[in-house]
Amino acid sequence: MRLLSLILSSMLTATVFAQSITITPKPVAAQPGNGSFQLDAKTSLVTVGKDATLSKTAAIMAERLRAVSGFPLPVRSGKGTEQNAIMLRTVKGKEQTLDGAYQIQIAPQRITIESSSSAGIFYGLQSLTQLISATRAGTPSSLQSTIHNQQSPISLVSANILDSPRFGWRGMHLDVSRHFFPKEFVKTYIDMLAMHKMNVFHWHLVDDHGWRIEIKKYPKLTEVGAWRVDREHLDWNVRTDQQPGEEATYGGFYTQEEIREIVQYAAERQITVVPEIEMPAHVRSVLAAYPQFSCSGKPLTVPTGTYWPCVDIYCAGNDSTFEFLEDVLDEVIALFPGKYVHVGGDEADKTAWKSCPKCQQRMKQEGLQNEHELQSYFIKRMERYIVSHGRRLI
């Protein structure tokens, strides 16, 4: 009975301790140890072995650790026995439930972060950063200035922390079409995702209200489609369309060089970027630049606010529409090495297709019963092209 009591007591202590840990999301398991580690001006960040990826991860996270701790934390390689160090070690052959599992051992002599993957090391460092930040924040306010001026040690309670992702896809979405966000903001957004151990950035680059990605073969997409008349002082639902003589000044776009920079920045933080290139609807910004890809070919402007229903969509009966989209996807796929390309596919009003001779002829040729089947034809045709380039359509 005494042994059972001790086991249950130990389990309860570990559970309470795990819940008290200031890590988001909460780790899978955490047990308290004895003593504490004193992080100070002499503490270093040590990578064990010759691993360029490990060194790169350490260099990236060192900036964050310095910012929250106030200490220099130099990065160096070592054997794994150093004192007063944050030790990073890649362990081969360790079974992991998902890529990104890690272990943090906080002991009086050193802190050790182990994982079988670079993602796990990165997430372990993110968790350690949160612990350090929370410890700083928990210091009485009267001592805050003293800590930063005199660089008093940060005392981290000894613990053994085990963690792994519960989900393989952990993503957030950013719509830069309705409102353009500059490159530096996007990087900050990615930092926020990384801090919470998310691994997918869904980048909504295209919609009715703005085209945000440079496509070299079709320069009008950004010359015209990336800009709308500034009605930002009005509620989204009461904005009027662009009037003759008005200049479109609100918007922006990312050059291909900026896209590459952001994609690399995300990859270094264990995040895959999924681009969204809308079709067949939510493309009025495209049709304002290239009206020949619509059913009517009529001149359009980029909407300034609410635009509903989405009646201005790609012409599904025009082969040049598909040639255009294939050209666009060629440049998109070259910029985004991830597995997925998102094509939206939602809210396509079929009014134009019903009265378009080319669309009706396409339905007849393909044996399609209605315009809904025509949209399925459209999406499946684009899917075949995307799959032929080694990607998957969403």
Side-chain angles (χ1 to χ4, degrees):
M1 287 294 293
R2 177 172 172 76
L3 177 60
L4 178 61
S5 177
L6 287 171
I7 292 172
L8 291 174
S9 176
S10 176
M11 290 173 63
L12 179 61
T13 300
T15 301
V16 172
F17 181 74
Q19 289 301 311
S20 71
I21 287 285
T22 49
I23 294 175
T24 304
K26 291 293 183 185
V28 172
Q31 290 187 323
N34 297 315
S36 61
F37 177 83
Q38 303 300 309
L39 193 153
D40 57 29
K42 295 182 179 180
T43 304
S44 58
L45 200 58
V46 177
T47 60
V48 179
K50 295 180 179 180
D51 186 332
T53 303
L54 196 62
S55 298
K56 180 70 173 178
T57 300
I60 290 171
M61 283 305 298
E63 295 181 28
R64 288 271 299 132
L65 286 163
R66 289 166 189 149
V68 299
S69 70
F71 297 126
L73 294 173
V75 179
R76 58 191 178 92
S77 60
K79 297 179 180 180
T81 57
E82 288 78 2
Q83 302 284 317
N84 193 14
I86 300 169
M87 206 75 61
L88 308 180
R89 191 197 316 267
T90 302
V91 181
K92 301 298 182 184
K94 205 170 189 178
E95 290 187 8
Q96 308 287 8
T97 55
L98 280 172
D99 183 40
Y102 65 89
Q103 179 178 18
I104 303 176
Q105 292 179 304
I106 303 175
Q109 298 82 16
R110 68 184 66 84
I111 297 173
T112 304
I113 299 176
E114 292 184 346
S115 176
S116 64
S117 68
S118 58
I121 296 294
F122 182 79
Y123 298 145
L125 283 166
Q126 289 286 2
S127 291
L128 180 61
T129 302
Q130 291 181 24
L131 286 174
I132 294 170
S133 180
T135 303
R136 277 290 197 212
T139 303
S141 57
S142 60
L143 299 179
Q144 288 290 338
S145 59
T146 302
I147 285 175
H148 289 288
N149 291 336
Q150 298 180 4
Q151 292 193 328
S152 299
I154 300 172
S155 183
L156 297 172
V157 176
S158 292
N160 183 30
I161 299 167
L162 295 172
D163 199 12
S164 62
R166 279 70 149 186
F167 304 96
W169 182 293
R170 306 179 302 281
M172 284 288 285
H173 167 278
L174 182 65
D175 182 347
V176 297
S177 175
R178 273 68 174 220
H179 297 285
F180 179 74
F181 295 92
K183 179 183 71 174
E184 292 308 317
F185 176 89
V186 176
K187 285 185 173 182
T188 299
Y189 192 81
I190 289 169
D191 285 337
M192 293 165 72
L193 303 189
M195 182 176 70
H196 292 90
K197 306 180 184 74
M198 294 188 178
N199 65 348
V200 178
F201 172 39
H202 178 167
W203 204 0
H204 192 83
L205 290 160
V206 175
D207 215 295
D208 293 303
H209 302 86
W211 180 282
R212 305 300 183 205
I213 175 173
E214 178 190 22
I215 301 297
K216 293 186 182 297
K217 192 166 184 177
Y218 298 95
K220 286 185 180 180
L221 288 173
T222 48
E223 291 172 3
V224 175
W227 306 94
R228 64 177 187 254
V229 170
D230 191 342
R231 303 256 196 270
E232 298 308 299
H233 61 291
L234 297 173
D235 184 85
W236 186 255
N237 295 324
V238 299
R239 299 179 186 181
T240 56
D241 281 343
Q242 181 175 348
Q243 300 301 305
E246 283 191 296
E247 185 180 357
T249 58
Y250 183 87
F253 65 93
Y254 308 97
T255 66
Q256 292 198 0
E257 188 56 38
E258 288 176 321
I259 295 280
R260 290 189 190 93
E261 183 182 337
I262 289 169
V263 168
Q264 180 181 345
Y265 188 87
E268 290 171 349
R269 287 152 182 80
Q270 307 299 324
I271 293 172
T272 298
V273 183
V274 175
E276 182 170 351
I277 308 297
E278 291 271 11
M279 59 184 81
H282 291 287
V283 293
R284 191 164 145 177
S285 59
V286 178
L287 301 180
Y290 295 98
Q292 66 266 36
F293 300 128
S294 70
C295 291
S296 68
K298 67 180 181 181
L300 295 167
T301 58
V302 180
T304 64
T306 297
Y307 169 65
W308 185 260
C310 298
V311 295
D312 297 299
I313 68 177
Y314 287 130
C315 178
N318 192 343
D319 282 331
S320 67
T321 298
F322 294 99
E323 292 168 6
F324 162 77
L325 285 170
E326 288 172 2
D327 289 340
V328 168
L329 287 170
D330 285 344
E331 296 192 34
V332 170
I333 288 169
L335 291 169
F336 295 93
K339 184 188 299 183
Y340 299 98
V341 176
H342 205 303
V343 300
D346 63 318
E347 300 175 334
D349 187 288
K350 313 297 193 298
T351 301
W353 286 359
K354 291 177 180 179
S355 59
C356 174
K358 290 183 178 180
C359 288
Q360 293 301 307
Q361 180 62 24
R362 176 82 71 192
M363 289 169 58
K364 184 178 180 181
Q365 288 175 342
E366 299 293 333
L368 307 175
Q369 299 300 310
N370 52 47
E371 287 74 21
H372 295 290
E373 289 190 6
L374 180 58
Q375 179 167 347
S376 292
Y377 163 84
F378 190 112
I379 296 296
K380 288 175 182 177
R381 181 167 171 172
M382 297 314 304
E383 181 180 32
R384 285 194 297 273
Y385 190 78
I386 288 170
V387 169
S388 73
H389 286 68
R391 300 292 196 274
R392 292 183 63 183
L393 175 144
I394 304 180

